[in-house]
Amino acid sequence: MPGHHQVDALGHAGPYRAVHREAVPDVTGACAAELSIVPRLFVQRSLAALRRGVSLPAEARGKALSRAAELFATGNFGGLSAEAYQHCVSRVSGLPLPVVRAAASIIADTARQAQTSAYAALPRGAVTSWSDRATREGAAVWTRRGEVFAVNAAGNHPGVHALWLEALALGYRLAVRPSRKEPFTPYRLVAALHEAGFGTDQIVLLPTDHSVADDIVNQADLALAYGGDDVVAKYANNTRVLTQGPGRSKILLAGADWQDHLDMIVDSVSNEGGTACVNATAVLVHGDPAPVAQAIAERLRALPSLPPEDERARLPVQPVAAARALEQFLLRHAEGTTAWLGKDGVVEELGDGSAALRPAVFQVGRADAPQTGIELGFPCVWVAPWSPSDGIAPLRHSLVVTVVGGDDTLIDSLVQEPTIRNVYVGNHPTYWMRPGVPHDAYLGEFLMKTKAVLSS
Amino acid sequence: MAQHSSYSDPILDCPATETPRPEELIEAAMKWHFSPQTGSPYWLERAKSLPFDPIRDVRTFEDLKLFPNVANELRDVRAEDLIPRGYASLSDLYGVYESGGTTGAPKRVVCMVDWMDRWLAFSQRHLDARGVPRGLNWLALMPDGPHIFGAALREGARRSSGILFTIDMDPRWVKKCIAEGRAEDAGRYAEHLIHQARFLLQTQDAGVLITTPPLLERIAKYDDLVELINRKIKIIQWGGAHMDADTRRLFQTEVFPGIQMQGGYGSTMVLGGSLERTDAGGTDWCIFDPLSPYISFSVVDPATGHPVPYGQRGQVVMNHISKGMLLVNNLERDTAVRVEPPPGQMGDSVADVKPVASFDNQQVIEGVY
């Protein structure tokens, strides 16, 4: 396939164009680029280089991250300008271009602030260096649990790459395995970090096939892995691996007048094209859920089906076959529910081999209906009745719960529930995020530990 | 086997330095294997159920397709019944060897002394072409025992006036570990092998290292072993598993620069196979040319059995035709890219060999071996 755009590996010796390259298809199935796939030996040597590497001092890390933020936002990497990069991501991931652009801007912001936000996790009693005066009396020093951190990344949304920047800020050396579906974002970010001063013995990009992915995780000290329930289960008892699994974010309308919050609800379902773990999967309604479902459906129905690179695009686009498979899955699981939108399917073909995934709104009969846990990569929401007697059980295992109305006892129990990871009280969309406020706990809680140092 | 005088044939018994033309080898071999005085009990019996007459109908490479793939029958046949009657006695037998057992119960083949001579002459021609001097010691981290590789190494080192240092390796145990989901045990076994190799590399002179790609990868983790190899070894011969083009390039440019590497690709079922083309003309691929016409390959579409176009991937079919053995149309567990043969070679050359995902309903497991 000569003439295709190339996405190289960024290994211990710099960019590497492999003999073994894989096509990265766009939403029509056409080859958008070729990705170099590196073998096990390459991974082994790059990980060895990271292990031998020396991290930059904290201050230099902060400066290099800021510089990388600018380069990522505006530079030219792998032959792609910022604009071309965003277009490319949109075409291969099917994410609406405005979503990609916003995500790129968030990644740059996160890089700029990574040094500050990473240290937001610093325990109040701890200092960051043994040379701090506090250690003369004996003090906790915040230290890394390891040196080399591996990221087995997802490709659903560029935003996933904002998370691991804090590991770099904390002085870890990183191996990033990109998703083979969307390698452009991590390529651009790692290339920018290299140019900004992080050496190839401090961060590498290792595109590999599935069989080598475990090597990266196993050879690092600590790792971050994205995936479904299977990945979460696989690493459940592995204290070296942090997983980012399904979000299953929810909105609980616990009593307030829901009409005032309709914008927030619709936005929570459909912002980011409905592709993020922070998009609302279920809305639980105290009272009759039907008018809520109807109102959400009315609003979502208006979203246009457009190619992803269209400025007005809001819905995700997939190859027709993939879209049809999702549709079948949805309709099979929606049996026995009341359809407000998407009764006859969600696929609208765009005529070029791709299809927009249109929103779906289904009403289920119980707060604990199993459908409320079905998270799909487009605006798809399950609306359920809820009453205080249901308690918070139906809201467990959620990345985000936005709760509107409800008393302090309810909010207390949501905040105390270990399997609910973020709670937003009031008219705040489930996708709300800000650097310095944890997305799924501070990464620093996983990467760092305190140790006592007495240095008088 | 009763004592009797041995039969000979000018084509089948030609000197190991000479190469018969494909058609004359096929004609001579069909006569030999399907004549009551010279053929093996196995083939003479099997011929009764063939819907064609091998002596009359099989004359060209193309005609070999008439034969059914009998490889699975070799799991049960008595070894004695595989030896052509034309040999005088068991003193002509070098040994009985078995397939790896990757896809079920092992299959057995007989290797006669005259075949070992031919294979070693082929192997030595390649070493000479690469300028590897005689008299180097060999260090092998390769399977021995029922696997023909060990026997060929023992004989090869002896004939090239070197000492062979060996380490025990049982690839079937490794495969079993992996099949049972105990990859960690397989890893520990590989480390155990490498630990033993370290003693030899540290204390002995060795110029030729023979091992498998997965073990070579593990060796590359240890800076001290890499340093010892770079200091002592002149050529690394690899085989027994596959090596992709990027891994090969990394070995040659980063890990073992300046050391020649030569790949081998074959199968116990054809008593050998092919060696890496010495001058591949600048391609990234490692191209394998078989010991033609005795061993020949076709790269086919498994659905139709027809050859795929050159440059395309298909499944590898192997043939062995010699005085001591006849096994044709053996569909191997590998896929490869079909490559144009050098002039005069029977059948295809192959490149970028990979295992197929599943074979005969058994999951194929490559493992550290």
Side-chain angles (χ1 to χ4, degrees), chain A residues 400-453:
Chain A
V400 183
V401 170
T402 283
V403 52
V404 183
D407 56 19
D408 286 0
T409 314
L410 175 69
I411 293 164
D412 257 345
S413 52
L414 289 172
V415 173
Q416 293 306 321
E417 167 55 41
T419 66
I420 296 174
R421 283 157 292 167
N422 302 309
V423 177
Y424 303 155
V425 182
N427 194 36
H428 310 295
T430 49
Y431 61 82
W432 181 89
M433 250 185 257
R434 207 176 63 200
V437 179
H439 162 62
D440 184 2
Y442 284 119
L443 194 55
E445 295 170 47
F446 173 71
L447 294 177
M448 307 294 279
K449 64 180 180 189
T450 51
K451 67 173 74 171
V453 177

Short mmCIF file of all heavy atoms in Angstrom, two decimals, chain A residues 400-453:
data_model
loop_
_atom_site.label_atom_id
_atom_site.label_comp_id
_atom_site.label_asym_id
_atom_site.label_seq_id
_atom_site.Cartn_x
_atom_site.Cartn_y
_atom_site.Cartn_z
N VAL A 400 -20.06 8.16 37.07
CA VAL A 400 -20.60 9.44 37.52
C VAL A 400 -22.09 9.28 37.83
O VAL A 400 -22.80 8.61 37.08
CB VAL A 400 -20.48 10.55 36.44
CG1 VAL A 400 -20.99 11.89 36.98
CG2 VAL A 400 -19.05 10.68 35.94
N VAL A 401 -22.53 9.85 38.94
CA VAL A 401 -23.96 10.01 39.18
C VAL A 401 -24.23 11.51 39.37
O VAL A 401 -23.62 12.14 40.24
CB VAL A 401 -24.45 9.22 40.41
CG1 VAL A 401 -25.89 9.61 40.76
CG2 VAL A 401 -24.35 7.73 40.16
N THR A 402 -25.05 12.04 38.50
CA THR A 402 -25.56 13.40 38.73
C THR A 402 -26.90 13.25 39.43
O THR A 402 -27.78 12.52 38.94
CB THR A 402 -25.73 14.15 37.40
OG1 THR A 402 -24.44 14.57 36.95
CG2 THR A 402 -26.62 15.40 37.58
N VAL A 403 -27.04 13.90 40.56
CA VAL A 403 -28.29 13.79 41.30
C VAL A 403 -28.92 15.17 41.41
O VAL A 403 -28.27 16.14 41.79
CB VAL A 403 -28.08 13.12 42.69
CG1 VAL A 403 -26.97 13.80 43.47
CG2 VAL A 403 -29.38 13.10 43.49
N VAL A 404 -30.18 15.23 41.02
CA VAL A 404 -30.93 16.48 41.11
C VAL A 404 -32.06 16.28 42.09
O VAL A 404 -32.84 15.33 41.95
CB VAL A 404 -31.49 16.90 39.73
CG1 VAL A 404 -32.19 18.25 39.85
CG2 VAL A 404 -30.39 16.96 38.69
N GLY A 405 -32.14 17.16 43.08
CA GLY A 405 -33.13 16.98 44.14
C GLY A 405 -32.63 15.91 45.10
O GLY A 405 -31.48 15.46 45.02
N GLY A 406 -33.48 15.52 46.00
CA GLY A 406 -33.06 14.51 46.97
C GLY A 406 -32.47 15.17 48.20
O GLY A 406 -31.86 16.25 48.11
N ASP A 407 -32.60 14.49 49.32
CA ASP A 407 -32.13 15.10 50.56
C ASP A 407 -30.67 14.73 50.84
O ASP A 407 -30.05 13.95 50.12
CB ASP A 407 -33.04 14.68 51.71
CG ASP A 407 -33.14 13.18 51.83
OD1 ASP A 407 -32.25 12.47 51.28
OD2 ASP A 407 -34.12 12.68 52.43
N ASP A 408 -30.17 15.31 51.92
CA ASP A 408 -28.76 15.10 52.25
C ASP A 408 -28.45 13.64 52.54
O ASP A 408 -27.34 13.17 52.28
CB ASP A 408 -28.38 15.95 53.48
CG ASP A 408 -28.27 17.43 53.09
OD1 ASP A 408 -28.50 17.74 51.90
OD2 ASP A 408 -27.96 18.25 53.97
N THR A 409 -29.43 12.93 53.08
CA THR A 409 -29.19 11.51 53.38
C THR A 409 -28.92 10.73 52.10
O THR A 409 -28.01 9.90 52.03
CB THR A 409 -30.44 10.91 54.07
OG1 THR A 409 -30.87 11.82 55.09
CG2 THR A 409 -30.14 9.55 54.65
N LEU A 410 -29.70 11.05 51.07
CA LEU A 410 -29.50 10.39 49.77
C LEU A 410 -28.12 10.73 49.21
O LEU A 410 -27.36 9.85 48.78
CB LEU A 410 -30.60 10.82 48.80
CG LEU A 410 -30.45 10.29 47.37
CD1 LEU A 410 -30.68 8.78 47.33
CD2 LEU A 410 -31.40 10.99 46.40
N ILE A 411 -27.79 12.01 49.24
CA ILE A 411 -26.50 12.44 48.70
C ILE A 411 -25.36 11.82 49.49
O ILE A 411 -24.38 11.33 48.92
CB ILE A 411 -26.42 13.98 48.68
CG1 ILE A 411 -27.45 14.50 47.66
CG2 ILE A 411 -25.02 14.46 48.32
CD1 ILE A 411 -27.78 15.95 47.79
N ASP A 412 -25.52 11.78 50.81
CA ASP A 412 -24.53 11.13 51.66
C ASP A 412 -24.28 9.70 51.22
O ASP A 412 -23.14 9.26 51.07
CB ASP A 412 -25.05 11.07 53.11
CG ASP A 412 -24.39 12.11 53.98
OD1 ASP A 412 -23.36 12.66 53.53
OD2 ASP A 412 -24.92 12.39 55.07
N SER A 413 -25.38 8.98 51.01
CA SER A 413 -25.19 7.56 50.68
C SER A 413 -24.58 7.39 49.29
O SER A 413 -23.81 6.46 49.06
CB SER A 413 -26.50 6.78 50.83
OG SER A 413 -27.52 7.42 50.11
N LEU A 414 -24.89 8.30 48.36
CA LEU A 414 -24.25 8.23 47.04
C LEU A 414 -22.75 8.49 47.16
O LEU A 414 -21.93 7.79 46.55
CB LEU A 414 -24.89 9.25 46.08
CG LEU A 414 -26.31 8.95 45.61
CD1 LEU A 414 -26.87 10.15 44.84
CD2 LEU A 414 -26.35 7.71 44.73
N VAL A 415 -22.41 9.51 47.94
CA VAL A 415 -20.99 9.86 48.09
C VAL A 415 -20.23 8.76 48.82
O VAL A 415 -19.08 8.47 48.51
CB VAL A 415 -20.84 11.23 48.80
CG1 VAL A 415 -19.37 11.52 49.11
CG2 VAL A 415 -21.43 12.35 47.94
N GLN A 416 -20.91 8.10 49.76
CA GLN A 416 -20.23 7.05 50.52
C GLN A 416 -20.13 5.73 49.75
O GLN A 416 -19.30 4.89 50.08
CB GLN A 416 -20.99 6.79 51.84
CG GLN A 416 -20.94 7.94 52.83
CD GLN A 416 -19.51 8.38 53.13
OE1 GLN A 416 -18.61 7.56 53.26
NE2 GLN A 416 -19.30 9.68 53.24
N GLU A 417 -20.95 5.54 48.76
CA GLU A 417 -20.99 4.26 48.05
C GLU A 417 -19.67 4.04 47.28
O GLU A 417 -19.33 4.79 46.36
CB GLU A 417 -22.19 4.25 47.08
CG GLU A 417 -22.20 3.13 46.05
CD GLU A 417 -22.10 1.73 46.65
OE1 GLU A 417 -22.73 1.47 47.68
OE2 GLU A 417 -21.36 0.90 46.08
N PRO A 418 -18.93 2.98 47.61
CA PRO A 418 -17.61 2.79 47.01
C PRO A 418 -17.63 2.59 45.49
O PRO A 418 -16.66 2.93 44.81
CB PRO A 418 -17.07 1.53 47.69
CG PRO A 418 -17.90 1.34 48.92
CD PRO A 418 -19.23 1.95 48.62
N THR A 419 -18.71 2.01 44.94
CA THR A 419 -18.68 1.72 43.51
C THR A 419 -19.19 2.89 42.66
O THR A 419 -19.24 2.78 41.44
CB THR A 419 -19.52 0.47 43.17
OG1 THR A 419 -20.90 0.77 43.44
CG2 THR A 419 -19.08 -0.72 44.01
N ILE A 420 -19.58 3.98 43.32
CA ILE A 420 -19.90 5.21 42.57
C ILE A 420 -18.69 6.11 42.70
O ILE A 420 -18.27 6.46 43.81
CB ILE A 420 -21.16 5.89 43.14
CG1 ILE A 420 -22.37 4.97 42.96
CG2 ILE A 420 -21.40 7.23 42.44
CD1 ILE A 420 -23.64 5.51 43.61
N ARG A 421 -18.13 6.49 41.55
CA ARG A 421 -16.81 7.12 41.65
C ARG A 421 -16.84 8.64 41.64
O ARG A 421 -15.94 9.27 42.13
CB ARG A 421 -15.89 6.54 40.57
CG ARG A 421 -15.41 5.14 41.02
CD ARG A 421 -14.99 4.25 39.91
NE ARG A 421 -16.10 3.83 39.05
CZ ARG A 421 -15.95 3.25 37.88
NH1 ARG A 421 -14.76 3.05 37.41
NH2 ARG A 421 -17.01 2.89 37.18
N ASN A 422 -17.89 9.23 41.08
CA ASN A 422 -18.02 10.69 41.15
C ASN A 422 -19.50 11.02 41.37
O ASN A 422 -20.36 10.37 40.78
CB ASN A 422 -17.57 11.36 39.85
CG ASN A 422 -16.13 11.02 39.49
OD1 ASN A 422 -15.22 11.16 40.31
ND2 ASN A 422 -15.92 10.57 38.27
N VAL A 423 -19.76 12.03 42.18
CA VAL A 423 -21.14 12.45 42.42
C VAL A 423 -21.24 13.95 42.15
O VAL A 423 -20.49 14.73 42.73
CB VAL A 423 -21.56 12.14 43.88
CG1 VAL A 423 -22.98 12.65 44.14
CG2 VAL A 423 -21.47 10.65 44.16
N TYR A 424 -22.12 14.32 41.25
CA TYR A 424 -22.34 15.74 40.97
C TYR A 424 -23.76 16.08 41.43
O TYR A 424 -24.73 15.47 40.96
CB TYR A 424 -22.18 16.04 39.47
CG TYR A 424 -20.82 15.64 38.92
CD1 TYR A 424 -20.66 15.35 37.57
CD2 TYR A 424 -19.69 15.55 39.76
CE1 TYR A 424 -19.43 14.99 37.06
CE2 TYR A 424 -18.44 15.18 39.27
CZ TYR A 424 -18.33 14.89 37.90
OH TYR A 424 -17.10 14.53 37.41
N VAL A 425 -23.86 17.02 42.33
CA VAL A 425 -25.15 17.37 42.91
C VAL A 425 -25.66 18.64 42.24
O VAL A 425 -24.98 19.66 42.25
CB VAL A 425 -25.01 17.59 44.43
CG1 VAL A 425 -26.38 17.90 45.06
CG2 VAL A 425 -24.39 16.37 45.10
N GLY A 426 -26.83 18.53 41.62
CA GLY A 426 -27.42 19.71 40.99
C GLY A 426 -27.35 19.61 39.48
O GLY A 426 -27.11 18.54 38.90
N ASN A 427 -27.52 20.73 38.86
CA ASN A 427 -27.69 20.79 37.40
C ASN A 427 -26.34 20.71 36.66
O ASN A 427 -26.00 21.62 35.90
CB ASN A 427 -28.44 22.08 37.05
CG ASN A 427 -28.95 22.07 35.62
OD1 ASN A 427 -29.34 21.03 35.11
ND2 ASN A 427 -28.91 23.22 34.96
N HIS A 428 -25.58 19.63 36.89
CA HIS A 428 -24.27 19.50 36.27
C HIS A 428 -24.25 18.26 35.38
O HIS A 428 -24.63 17.18 35.83
CB HIS A 428 -23.19 19.36 37.34
CG HIS A 428 -23.27 20.41 38.39
ND1 HIS A 428 -23.06 21.75 38.11
CD2 HIS A 428 -23.58 20.34 39.71
CE1 HIS A 428 -23.22 22.45 39.23
NE2 HIS A 428 -23.54 21.62 40.21
N PRO A 429 -23.79 18.40 34.15
CA PRO A 429 -23.79 17.24 33.25
C PRO A 429 -22.81 16.18 33.75
O PRO A 429 -21.81 16.50 34.41
CB PRO A 429 -23.35 17.81 31.91
CG PRO A 429 -22.60 19.06 32.24
CD PRO A 429 -23.23 19.60 33.49
N THR A 430 -23.09 14.94 33.40
CA THR A 430 -22.24 13.83 33.86
C THR A 430 -20.82 13.94 33.32
O THR A 430 -19.90 13.35 33.88
CB THR A 430 -22.84 12.49 33.43
OG1 THR A 430 -23.16 12.55 32.04
CG2 THR A 430 -24.11 12.18 34.22
N TYR A 431 -20.64 14.66 32.20
CA TYR A 431 -19.31 14.71 31.60
C TYR A 431 -18.45 15.84 32.19
O TYR A 431 -17.34 16.08 31.74
CB TYR A 431 -19.40 14.85 30.07
CG TYR A 431 -20.10 16.11 29.62
CD1 TYR A 431 -19.41 17.34 29.56
CD2 TYR A 431 -21.44 16.09 29.25
CE1 TYR A 431 -20.05 18.50 29.15
CE2 TYR A 431 -22.09 17.25 28.85
CZ TYR A 431 -21.38 18.44 28.80
OH TYR A 431 -22.00 19.60 28.42
N TRP A 432 -18.95 16.54 33.20
CA TRP A 432 -18.17 17.64 33.79
C TRP A 432 -16.81 17.12 34.26
O TRP A 432 -16.71 16.06 34.88
CB TRP A 432 -18.94 18.24 34.97
CG TRP A 432 -18.21 19.40 35.60
CD1 TRP A 432 -18.29 20.71 35.24
CD2 TRP A 432 -17.29 19.34 36.70
NE1 TRP A 432 -17.47 21.48 36.04
CE2 TRP A 432 -16.83 20.67 36.94
CE3 TRP A 432 -16.77 18.31 37.49
CZ2 TRP A 432 -15.91 20.99 37.95
CZ3 TRP A 432 -15.86 18.61 38.49
CH2 TRP A 432 -15.43 19.94 38.71
N MET A 433 -15.77 17.88 33.94
CA MET A 433 -14.41 17.48 34.32
C MET A 433 -13.55 18.72 34.44
O MET A 433 -13.78 19.69 33.72
CB MET A 433 -13.81 16.61 33.20
CG MET A 433 -13.63 15.15 33.56
SD MET A 433 -12.79 14.33 32.23
CE MET A 433 -14.14 13.48 31.46
N ARG A 434 -12.60 18.67 35.32
CA ARG A 434 -11.66 19.79 35.40
C ARG A 434 -10.32 19.28 35.90
O ARG A 434 -10.28 18.47 36.83
CB ARG A 434 -12.20 20.86 36.36
CG ARG A 434 -11.69 22.26 36.03
CD ARG A 434 -12.31 23.29 36.93
NE ARG A 434 -11.93 23.05 38.32
CZ ARG A 434 -12.59 23.54 39.36
NH1 ARG A 434 -13.66 24.28 39.19
NH2 ARG A 434 -12.17 23.29 40.59
N PRO A 435 -9.23 19.71 35.27
CA PRO A 435 -7.91 19.28 35.75
C PRO A 435 -7.79 19.60 37.25
O PRO A 435 -8.21 20.68 37.69
CB PRO A 435 -6.93 20.11 34.93
CG PRO A 435 -7.69 20.47 33.68
CD PRO A 435 -9.12 20.61 34.11
N GLY A 436 -7.23 18.67 37.98
CA GLY A 436 -7.08 18.88 39.42
C GLY A 436 -8.19 18.23 40.23
O GLY A 436 -8.03 17.96 41.41
N VAL A 437 -9.34 18.01 39.57
CA VAL A 437 -10.43 17.27 40.22
C VAL A 437 -10.40 15.87 39.61
O VAL A 437 -10.36 15.74 38.38
CB VAL A 437 -11.80 17.93 39.97
CG1 VAL A 437 -12.91 17.13 40.63
CG2 VAL A 437 -11.78 19.36 40.49
N PRO A 438 -10.38 14.83 40.45
CA PRO A 438 -10.17 13.50 39.86
C PRO A 438 -11.31 13.06 38.97
O PRO A 438 -12.47 13.38 39.20
CB PRO A 438 -10.05 12.59 41.09
CG PRO A 438 -10.68 13.35 42.21
CD PRO A 438 -10.49 14.80 41.92
N HIS A 439 -10.95 12.30 37.92
CA HIS A 439 -11.92 11.74 36.98
C HIS A 439 -12.38 10.38 37.47
O HIS A 439 -13.55 10.03 37.39
CB HIS A 439 -11.25 11.63 35.61
CG HIS A 439 -11.95 10.70 34.66
ND1 HIS A 439 -13.24 10.92 34.23
CD2 HIS A 439 -11.56 9.54 34.08
CE1 HIS A 439 -13.60 9.94 33.41
NE2 HIS A 439 -12.60 9.09 33.32
N ASP A 440 -11.45 9.61 37.98
CA ASP A 440 -11.77 8.31 38.58
C ASP A 440 -10.70 8.10 39.65
O ASP A 440 -9.82 7.28 39.50
CB ASP A 440 -11.73 7.21 37.52
CG ASP A 440 -12.15 5.86 38.11
OD1 ASP A 440 -12.50 5.82 39.30
OD2 ASP A 440 -12.11 4.86 37.37
N ALA A 441 -10.79 8.87 40.70
CA ALA A 441 -9.74 9.00 41.73
C ALA A 441 -8.52 9.66 41.10
O ALA A 441 -8.36 9.66 39.88
CB ALA A 441 -9.38 7.66 42.34
N TYR A 442 -7.69 10.22 41.92
CA TYR A 442 -6.43 10.78 41.40
C TYR A 442 -5.54 9.65 40.93
O TYR A 442 -5.41 8.62 41.61
CB TYR A 442 -5.69 11.52 42.52
CG TYR A 442 -6.25 12.87 42.87
CD1 TYR A 442 -6.72 13.13 44.15
CD2 TYR A 442 -6.27 13.90 41.93
CE1 TYR A 442 -7.21 14.37 44.50
CE2 TYR A 442 -6.77 15.15 42.27
CZ TYR A 442 -7.24 15.38 43.55
OH TYR A 442 -7.72 16.61 43.89
N LEU A 443 -4.90 9.85 39.78
CA LEU A 443 -3.95 8.84 39.33
C LEU A 443 -2.82 8.69 40.36
O LEU A 443 -2.28 7.61 40.56
CB LEU A 443 -3.38 9.26 37.96
CG LEU A 443 -2.64 8.19 37.18
CD1 LEU A 443 -3.49 6.95 36.98
CD2 LEU A 443 -2.17 8.74 35.83
N GLY A 444 -2.52 9.80 41.02
CA GLY A 444 -1.47 9.78 42.04
C GLY A 444 -1.74 8.80 43.17
O GLY A 444 -0.80 8.30 43.80
N GLU A 445 -3.01 8.51 43.44
CA GLU A 445 -3.32 7.54 44.50
C GLU A 445 -2.83 6.15 44.14
O GLU A 445 -2.54 5.34 45.00
CB GLU A 445 -4.84 7.48 44.74
CG GLU A 445 -5.43 8.76 45.27
CD GLU A 445 -6.95 8.71 45.25
OE1 GLU A 445 -7.53 7.70 45.69
OE2 GLU A 445 -7.56 9.68 44.75
N PHE A 446 -2.80 5.91 42.83
CA PHE A 446 -2.34 4.60 42.35
C PHE A 446 -0.82 4.58 42.15
O PHE A 446 -0.16 3.58 42.41
CB PHE A 446 -3.06 4.28 41.04
CG PHE A 446 -2.56 3.05 40.33
CD1 PHE A 446 -2.83 1.78 40.85
CD2 PHE A 446 -1.82 3.15 39.16
CE1 PHE A 446 -2.37 0.65 40.20
CE2 PHE A 446 -1.37 2.02 38.51
CZ PHE A 446 -1.64 0.76 39.03
N LEU A 447 -0.29 5.71 41.69
CA LEU A 447 1.11 5.73 41.28
C LEU A 447 2.09 5.98 42.41
O LEU A 447 3.27 5.69 42.29
CB LEU A 447 1.32 6.83 40.21
CG LEU A 447 0.62 6.63 38.87
CD1 LEU A 447 0.87 7.84 37.97
CD2 LEU A 447 1.14 5.37 38.19
N MET A 448 1.57 6.56 43.51
CA MET A 448 2.48 7.04 44.54
C MET A 448 2.16 6.42 45.89
O MET A 448 1.06 5.91 46.13
CB MET A 448 2.37 8.57 44.66
CG MET A 448 2.54 9.33 43.35
SD MET A 448 4.18 9.23 42.63
CE MET A 448 5.02 10.48 43.61
N LYS A 449 3.13 6.46 46.78
CA LYS A 449 2.90 6.04 48.16
C LYS A 449 3.78 6.91 49.06
O LYS A 449 4.76 7.51 48.59
CB LYS A 449 3.23 4.56 48.33
CG LYS A 449 4.70 4.28 48.10
CD LYS A 449 5.04 2.82 48.27
CE LYS A 449 6.53 2.65 48.01
NZ LYS A 449 6.95 1.27 47.94
N THR A 450 3.43 6.93 50.30
CA THR A 450 4.26 7.70 51.22
C THR A 450 5.22 6.76 51.94
O THR A 450 4.93 5.59 52.15
CB THR A 450 3.39 8.41 52.26
OG1 THR A 450 2.51 7.46 52.85
CG2 THR A 450 2.60 9.54 51.65
N LYS A 451 6.37 7.32 52.27
CA LYS A 451 7.25 6.58 53.17
C LYS A 451 7.83 7.56 54.17
O LYS A 451 8.00 8.76 53.87
CB LYS A 451 8.33 5.83 52.40
CG LYS A 451 9.35 6.67 51.68
CD LYS A 451 10.46 5.80 51.11
CE LYS A 451 10.05 5.02 49.89
NZ LYS A 451 11.15 4.34 49.21
N ALA A 452 8.14 7.05 55.37
CA ALA A 452 8.68 7.92 56.40
C ALA A 452 10.15 8.19 56.12
O ALA A 452 10.90 7.27 55.79
CB ALA A 452 8.51 7.27 57.76
N VAL A 453 10.55 9.43 56.22
CA VAL A 453 11.96 9.78 56.11
C VAL A 453 12.33 10.67 57.30
O VAL A 453 11.63 11.65 57.60
CB VAL A 453 12.28 10.53 54.80
CG1 VAL A 453 13.75 10.94 54.76
CG2 VAL A 453 11.94 9.66 53.60
#
